[in-house]
Amino acid sequence: MDSASPIAICIGLFISFLITVAYVYCEWLFGYWKRKNVPHKKSTSLIYGSIGKLFKAEVSQGYFFKDIYDSFHGEPFVGFYEFQRPSLLLRDPEIVKKVLAENFNSFHKNGLYVNEKEDNFFNRNPFVLTGTRWKEARSKLTQTLTVNKLKFLPESISKIYPSMKTFLDETEDNIEAYEFGTNITSGMAASWSWGIEDSGFSKTKSYVREIAQKFVDMFIGTTFSMQLIHINPWFAPLFKPSIVSHETGFFNDLTKKSLEMLISTGNNSSPCVLNSLRQTRLKSGQTDDELMNNEVIEDLSGVVAAFYFDAYETTARAMSFLLYTLAQYPDVQRRLRDEVTKLPKEQLTLDEVQKMPYMEMVFSEVLRLYPPATFLRKKCTQDCQLGGLKVEAGSHIIIPILAMHKDADIYPEPEKFDPERFSEENKNDRHPYAYIPFGSGPRMCPGMRFAISLIKVVISLLLQDYEILPPKNEYFKPITPSASGILLVPDAPLKLHIAKLKK
C-alpha cells in the first residue's frame, strides 16, 4: 500500500498537469477574439465551439448567422468559433464591399469544399474553383451569357410555353411552387446548356434532371455531412463526398453528341453555352475535329454542366418564392398584371421586360425576403485590414445575406412585403451592399442575368393568361426554412393554385 502511494501520487499529478495544460490551451484557443478585442459569440463546447445549434441541425445556417448578427447590434463585425476555428461575421455593408470588391485579392476564394480528386468533373464550376482557374472558368461562362445572347430567351421560353399551358389547363389540383419552377428551369437550362429539347412538362423522365436534383440534395448542403464539410473540410475523409463523378461519362457523352449535332447541322448561331464555347475555341484557331478530342470534351462538359446545375436550382427556387408571394398578395398581382398586359405577348422582347419598373420592384422585394443563398463564405488568402482589424490568411469570413436583408435599421418592418422599398428613390437611400441576393463583385453569380431574365419573361407570359391563387382547401403556410442547407429551402411544400384567367 505504502509503495503504491508515490505511484498514485505521480499519476495524479500527471493527470492534473494534463488537465491544466488542456485548460490553458482551450483558454488560449477560444480566447482568439478576446485578444483581438473583437466582440464575439463565446464558445460553448470544446468540440463545436459556438455552433452547437448548427452541429445539432436545430436551425438553418442562414438563420443561425442571423441570430449572431442580431445579437451584436451596432458592431461592424462579430467573431465566433466554428469548431476550434475562429471565424468572422460581417455586419457593416461598407466592410462587405471591401471583402467582395475593394479587397477582393485577399478574398477571392469561396470557402466551400469540393473533392478535386474524386470530383474532377464538378471542380470546373467557377463557384468552387480557386487560384486563376476560377477566372478562366467564369470568363467562359460570362462570354456565353452576354446581353446579345440573352435576347433570345423570350423565343426559347415561347417554345415551352404551350406545354406549360397544357399542363396548367389539365391540372385542377394544387401545384407545388418549386416543382413547377423546376419543370421550367430543367427544360430551359438543358436548352441553354446543350441546345437540347428537354421539356420539364413532358411525362417522360429526364435523366439530366434527376442528376441535377442529386446535385442539389448533396452539394447545396441538404445533407448533414455536407454541412459539416462546408464548415470544416477536416470532416471530408469521414464522409468522402462525391457529387456527380459517377455521372461523368453520361455528361461527357451528352456533350459529345450535342457538339456533333451542332457541327453536322452547321448551326453556328445557337445561343446555347456549348455552341458559344465552341465558337470561342474556333476563333482561337482550333478546329471542330480538335474539339472532339476526349480531353477537350471533358473540359467543355464540365463548364456546360456547371451552368446547368446553377441555372436549375436557384432559378427554380427564386421563381417558387415569387409565385407564392403573388398568390398571397392579389393587389400586387393585379398591378403587376396591368403592367405586363401592355407588352406585346406574341413578340415579347427581353428589353421590354427589363424596362418594367413594378416587375423589378416586386422581384427585388421577393429576393430581399427570400435570397436563394442565405450567406456567403469567403476565405482570406493574404493578411489584410478590415475596419481596423487585421484579418489573417486562412480566416473564414461570413457575409450574412439574409440577416442584412432583414435588418430593421436598413429595412423598417423587415418581415413585411413591400415592393416600394425598391423604388428608385428608396434604393438610392440605402447602401448598395445592403442588398446582395446574388452576391457582388468579381465573383458574383455568373448566371444572375440569366435567372432574373428567365423568371421575368415567364411571369410576364403567365400573368396574361392565368391567375395565381392560394391553394384550394388548404391554408397558406408561412415559409419556414429547413434546418439544413446553405440555400433558403422551405421545410414544407409551397402549395398554390393556378387557374385560367377569366377575361
Side-chain angles (χ1 to χ4, degrees):
M1 182 72 179
D2 291 338
S3 61
S5 295
I7 297 176
I9 292 172
C10 289
I11 292 174
L13 290 173
F14 182 68
I15 292 174
S16 299
F17 173 75
L18 290 179
I19 293 174
T20 302
V21 170
Y23 175 80
V24 172
Y25 173 73
C26 289
E27 282 291 300
W28 175 84
L29 185 68
F30 294 117
Y32 180 86
W33 292 120
K34 184 178 181 180
R35 292 194 299 274
K36 284 183 169 290
N37 198 30
V38 171
H40 57 279
K41 181 178 177 65
K42 293 182 179 180
S43 168
T44 57
S45 166
L46 295 177
I47 299 174
Y48 44 71
S50 310
I51 61 171
K53 289 185 176 181
L54 277 187
F55 186 79
K56 298 173 185 177
E58 295 178 355
V59 64
S60 70
Q61 294 189 55
Y63 275 89
F64 174 80
F65 293 133
K66 183 178 183 299
D67 287 342
I68 296 178
Y69 182 101
D70 292 342
S71 299
F72 291 84
H73 185 268
E75 299 292 349
F77 37 65
V78 181
F80 67 106
Y81 297 94
E82 296 181 290
F83 299 102
Q84 291 78 40
R85 182 185 66 210
S87 298
L88 190 69
L89 181 141
L90 307 184
R91 295 190 78 264
D92 185 346
E94 187 61 28
I95 296 180
V96 171
K97 178 182 177 182
K98 291 183 181 299
V99 169
L100 295 181
E102 294 178 1
N103 289 7
F104 176 75
N105 287 338
S106 295
F107 299 98
H108 60 81
K109 187 174 183 179
N110 289 330
L112 287 177
Y113 170 82
V114 64
N115 188 333
E116 295 194 16
K117 291 183 179 179
E118 296 187 28
D119 276 315
N120 60 346
F121 174 79
F122 180 73
N123 67 22
R124 292 180 176 89
N125 191 310
F127 191 71
V128 300
L129 286 174
T130 59
T132 59
R133 295 177 63 204
W134 77 266
K135 290 184 181 180
E136 297 170 1
R138 193 179 192 282
S139 176
K140 292 175 183 177
L141 274 183
T142 53
Q143 289 174 25
T144 69
L145 299 171
T146 62
V147 174
N148 284 335
K149 296 288 177 61
L150 291 177
K151 71 181 181 181
F152 293 102
L153 256 179
E155 180 183 343
S156 298
I157 295 171
S158 67
K159 292 179 180 179
I160 70 166
Y161 189 61
S163 62
M164 187 195 310
K165 287 190 65 177
T166 300
F167 169 82
L168 291 174
D169 293 342
E170 294 177 350
T171 303
E172 296 182 0
D173 296 331
N174 297 328
I175 67 170
E176 203 284 310
Y178 172 67
E179 184 178 349
F180 180 71
T182 57
N183 283 343
I184 297 170
T185 60
S186 63
M188 286 300 301
S191 174
W192 274 74
S193 297
W194 292 280
I196 61 176
E197 297 299 326
D198 187 39
S199 174
F201 295 98
S202 170
K203 295 181 181 179
T204 304
K205 285 188 176 181
S206 167
Y207 190 52
V208 181
R209 183 177 180 181
E210 289 181 7
I211 296 173
Q213 195 59 53
K214 288 180 184 178
F215 158 78
V216 170
D217 292 340
M218 181 174 284
F219 179 73
I220 297 303
T222 52
T223 63
F224 179 63
S225 61
M226 284 304 295
Q227 287 197 80
L228 291 180
I229 290 168
H230 288 323
I231 293 171
N232 195 330
W234 181 86
F235 288 96
L238 299 178
F239 301 105
K240 294 184 179 179
S242 179
I243 311 301
V244 292
S245 290
H246 56 290
E247 307 292 356
T248 298
F250 168 78
F251 281 111
N252 290 343
D253 188 54
L254 175 60
T255 299
K256 185 175 182 178
K257 289 180 178 178
S258 299
L259 188 58
E260 287 174 342
M261 182 65 69
L262 289 169
I263 295 172
S264 64
T265 58
N267 187 351
N268 296 324
S269 59
S270 170
C272 74
V273 172
L274 179 59
N275 189 52
S276 297
L277 294 173
R278 173 196 171 210
Q279 295 303 320
T280 299
R281 284 179 176 262
L282 291 177
K283 290 177 182 178
S284 69
Q286 287 185 287
T287 66
D288 279 328
D289 288 340
E290 290 173 331
L291 297 186
M292 300 307 296
N293 177 278
N294 287 339
E295 187 174 340
V296 177
I297 290 293
E298 290 177 3
D299 185 52
L300 293 173
S301 181
V303 177
V304 176
F307 169 77
Y308 178 85
F309 290 140
D310 292 344
Y312 172 85
E313 162 62 18
T314 54
T315 309
R317 194 68 67 185
M319 188 181 300
S320 70
F321 291 137
L322 176 56
L323 291 169
Y324 200 67
T325 301
L326 291 177
Q328 289 178 287
Y329 297 93
D331 290 344
V332 171
Q333 185 178 162
R334 280 192 290 270
R335 181 175 169 184
L336 187 55
R337 181 175 291 108
D338 289 342
E339 186 175 64
V340 302
T341 50
K342 296 175 183 178
L343 300 176
K345 182 181 176 182
E346 302 302 325
Q347 295 180 327
L348 191 65
T349 68
L350 187 60
D351 185 56
E352 291 168 324
V353 171
Q354 300 287 29
K355 289 180 179 177
M356 293 190 293
Y358 196 59
M359 172 75 81
E360 178 68 21
M361 291 163 61
V362 170
F363 192 29
S364 295
E365 176 68 347
V366 169
L367 291 177
R368 180 191 69 83
L369 284 168
Y370 313 113
T374 57
F375 68 96
L376 296 175
R377 180 184 292 275
K378 294 290 182 178
K379 187 173 182 178
C380 183
T381 56
Q382 60 185 20
D383 294 358
C384 71
Q385 292 285 328
L386 286 181
L389 172 68
K390 180 183 178 181
V391 178
E392 298 168 350
S395 300
H396 277 233
I397 306 295
I398 298 296
I399 299 173
I401 296 174
L402 179 71
M404 293 194 300
H405 285 193
K406 294 194 173 187
D407 187 331
D409 290 340
I410 302 172
Y411 301 97
E413 297 182 85
E415 296 297 334
K416 177 182 178 182
F417 177 73
D418 181 13
E420 296 300 325
R421 298 183 202 271
F422 289 90
S423 66
E424 286 301 318
E425 180 181 359
N426 289 332
K427 281 196 302 184
N428 292 334
D429 288 339
R430 287 192 299 270
H431 195 291
Y433 278 75
Y435 175 75
I436 48 172
F438 292 96
S440 188
R443 293 204 76 159
M444 178 189 290
C445 175
M448 177 190 69
R449 285 190 297 186
F450 175 85
I452 293 175
S453 300
L454 186 151
I455 293 172
K456 286 183 176 180
V457 172
V458 169
I459 296 299
S460 297
L461 293 173
L462 193 64
L463 288 183
Q464 295 188 52
D465 293 319
Y466 296 92
E467 188 173 9
I468 305 167
L469 301 166
K472 295 191 296 184
N473 304 319
E474 290 186 34
Y475 291 105
F476 258 126
K477 296 178 181 178
I479 298 178
T480 305
S482 167
S484 61
I486 63 173
L487 295 186
L488 184 60
V489 178
D491 64 354
L494 303 182
K495 297 288 187 69
L496 47 82
H497 180 59
I498 300 180
K500 187 171 288 187
L501 193 63
K502 296 177 181 179
K503 298 182 180 179

